[in-house]
């Protein structure tokens, strides 16, 4: 049996629509073993069929590796809330891709060594992104840290589909996920976006997305505060999220350094740096949440390791 652990992700980070993502310390754990027939435990019945996204990714990756599908028994222990913009679909796709790759290692008689080679990591990012459609979630899910990821079909000479650059995130940065009590399907959250944007809005976002990247790599929270505004997706999506403006205002009032819509939403993520500011923010936001609404606060660290696995755990 193999146990695979995949971190949650927060994508876009404001202006970096479909290109920036960061891994967080909230995890889905998948236990996989060969079985006489497909079986899924640990999730709602509607997800426990053979079309479970993990299994789809598993079969897709086996196909990429030139192997026939092999039935497995999958047990899911999920911390990442479903359809909340924290990368739950990406975690399933990453998990399935990893399970397929580990099976190939086993088939080829190689001793199961810990971790992954750089070429295996690239393969996993590609396979999971192809399945999930969003490299800004799949790349940090595989690699951990903060990732810039693009689909490279327009990049001449690119040998693979996704080009991802990974950077570690400062360990004293705290990411506060404010999770609403309702789901928002990514498809619906993408359907409200305009097909084209003005040059002024494109320039607004391009500059800020580049600056977000610099701010995280330099651990400069003040720069991130200025950089994480957006005109491509957040202004359109907030209409789908009752309470968005109130939670955003509450986060700012509670002292957040920066706030953004996590992925396609509906979760918002706020940043604080250092124990004093984090403690103050946590006290204030929790008392605001207690006073009204059913949003949940999860205080998370960056995950700088990405996907991991253990073979035959006790
Ligand atoms: N970048 C994608 C979006 C992430 O915002 O739609 C989807 O999880």
């Amino acid at each position: 049996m193999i146990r695979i652990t995949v971190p949650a992700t927060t994508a876009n980070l404001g202006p970096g629509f479909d290109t920036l993502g960061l891994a967080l310390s909230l995890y889905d754990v998948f236990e996989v073993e060969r079985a006489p027939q497909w079986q899924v435990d640990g999730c709602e019945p509607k997800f426990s069929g053979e079309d479970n996204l993990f299994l789809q990714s598993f079969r897709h990756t086996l196909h990429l590796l030139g192997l026939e599908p092999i039935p497995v028994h999958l047990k899911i222990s999920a911390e990442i809330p479903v359809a909340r913009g924290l990368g739950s679909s990406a975690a399933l796709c990453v998990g399935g891709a990893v399970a397929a790759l580990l099976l190939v290692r086993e088939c080829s008689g190689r001793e199961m060594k810990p971790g992954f080679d750089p070429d295996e990591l690239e393969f996993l990012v590609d396979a999971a992104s192809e399945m999930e459609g969003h490299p800004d979630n799949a790349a940090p899910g595989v690699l951990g840290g903060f990732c810039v990821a693009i689909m490279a079909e327009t990049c001449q000479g690119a040998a693979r589909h996704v080009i991802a650059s990974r950077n570690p995130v400062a360990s004293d940065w705290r990411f506060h996920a404010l999770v609403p009590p309702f789901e928002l399907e990514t498809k619906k959250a993408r359907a409200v976006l305009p097909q084209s944007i003005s040059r002024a809005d494109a320039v607004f976002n391009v500059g800020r997305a580049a600056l977000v990247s610099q701010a995280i790599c330099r651990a400069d929270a003040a720069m991130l505060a200025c950089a994480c505004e957006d005109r491509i997706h957040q202004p359109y999506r907030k209409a789908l999220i009752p309470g968005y403006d109130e939670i955003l205002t509450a986060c700012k009032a509670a002292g957040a350094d920066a706030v953004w819509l996590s992925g396609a939403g509906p979760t918002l993520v706020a940043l604080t740096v250092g124990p004093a500011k984090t403690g103050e923010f946590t006290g204030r936001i929790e008392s605001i949440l207690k006073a009204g609404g059913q949003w949940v606060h999860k205080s998370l660290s960056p995950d700088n390791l990405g996907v991991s696995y253990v073979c035959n755990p006790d």
Side-chain angles (χ1 to χ4, degrees):
M1 189 265 277
I2 302 162
R3 183 180 294 150
I4 300 164
T5 304
V6 189
T9 52
T10 180
N12 301 330
L13 291 110
F17 180 66
D18 279 358
T19 53
L20 304 182
L22 189 150
L24 297 170
S25 64
L26 187 71
Y27 300 94
D28 277 2
V29 177
F30 307 105
E31 292 184 349
V32 196
E33 59 189 342
R34 286 175 187 246
Q37 59 201 26
W38 300 100
Q39 189 183 336
V40 183
D41 292 324
C43 60
E44 288 179 50
K46 65 177 175 180
F47 297 127
S48 65
E50 282 183 33
D51 60 347
N52 177 285
L53 192 52
F54 179 104
L55 297 183
Q56 287 188 48
S57 176
F58 176 69
R59 287 190 294 265
H60 171 72
T61 309
L62 285 179
H63 176 72
L64 294 177
L65 292 163
L67 289 186
E68 292 296 319
I70 304 159
V72 289
H73 179 192
L74 167 66
K75 282 189 209 160
I76 304 175
S77 308
E79 277 186 350
I80 309 172
V82 174
R84 297 298 204 288
L86 288 167
S88 64
S89 304
L92 291 163
C93 293
V94 170
V98 168
L101 186 67
L102 295 178
L103 204 72
V104 168
R105 283 191 190 167
E106 195 188 301
C107 292
S108 64
R110 280 166 62 183
E111 199 173 314
M112 205 71 99
K113 62 184 168 49
F116 300 100
D117 297 336
D119 58 335
E120 289 177 328
L121 289 172
E122 283 179 6
F123 172 79
L124 289 170
V125 171
D126 262 354
S129 301
E130 223 172 85
M131 191 71 227
E132 210 260 346
H134 302 116
D136 50 341
N137 277 320
V142 172
L143 305 171
F146 164 69
C147 292
V148 182
I150 60 159
M151 290 287 195
E153 66 266 28
T154 54
C155 182
Q156 282 199 342
R160 57 180 195 278
H161 295 114
V162 177
I163 296 180
S165 161
R166 178 207 167 272
N167 299 274
V169 179
S171 57
D172 65 340
W173 281 26
R174 204 75 188 162
F175 298 88
H176 304 266
L178 286 311
V179 187
F182 52 85
E183 301 183 353
L184 176 57
E185 271 182 49
T186 299
K187 204 171 152 194
K188 194 172 165 195
R190 291 181 84 82
V192 297
L193 305 182
Q195 287 301 320
S196 54
I197 56 166
S198 69
R199 183 193 298 183
D201 285 354
V203 171
F204 183 96
N205 267 59
V206 167
R208 280 165 180 74
L211 211 56
V212 164
S213 192
Q214 292 274 303
I216 295 175
C217 294
R218 293 180 186 181
D220 186 337
M223 185 185 276
L224 187 66
C226 304
C228 76
E229 297 169 297
D230 161 70
R231 286 191 186 163
I232 292 184
H233 69 110
Q234 292 183 180
Y236 305 99
R237 287 172 160 171
K238 69 179 193 170
L240 301 174
I241 306 170
Y244 178 101
D245 282 328
E246 291 80 355
I247 294 291
L248 186 76
T249 305
C251 286
K252 288 185 175 161
D257 284 304
V259 192
W260 57 86
L261 181 64
S262 188
T267 294
L268 274 81
V269 167
L271 170 74
T272 57
V273 178
K277 217 162 181 194
T278 295
E280 194 183 328
F281 177 91
T282 300
R284 291 173 75 172
I285 201 75
E286 290 196 346
S287 68
I288 292 170
L289 294 182
K290 208 178 276 176
Q294 297 162 305
W295 291 54
V296 172
H297 168 232
K298 291 179 191 288
S299 180
L300 306 170
S301 302
D303 174 293
N304 280 313
L305 299 175
V307 64
S308 63
Y309 65 86
V310 185
C311 296
N312 302 316
D314 294 330

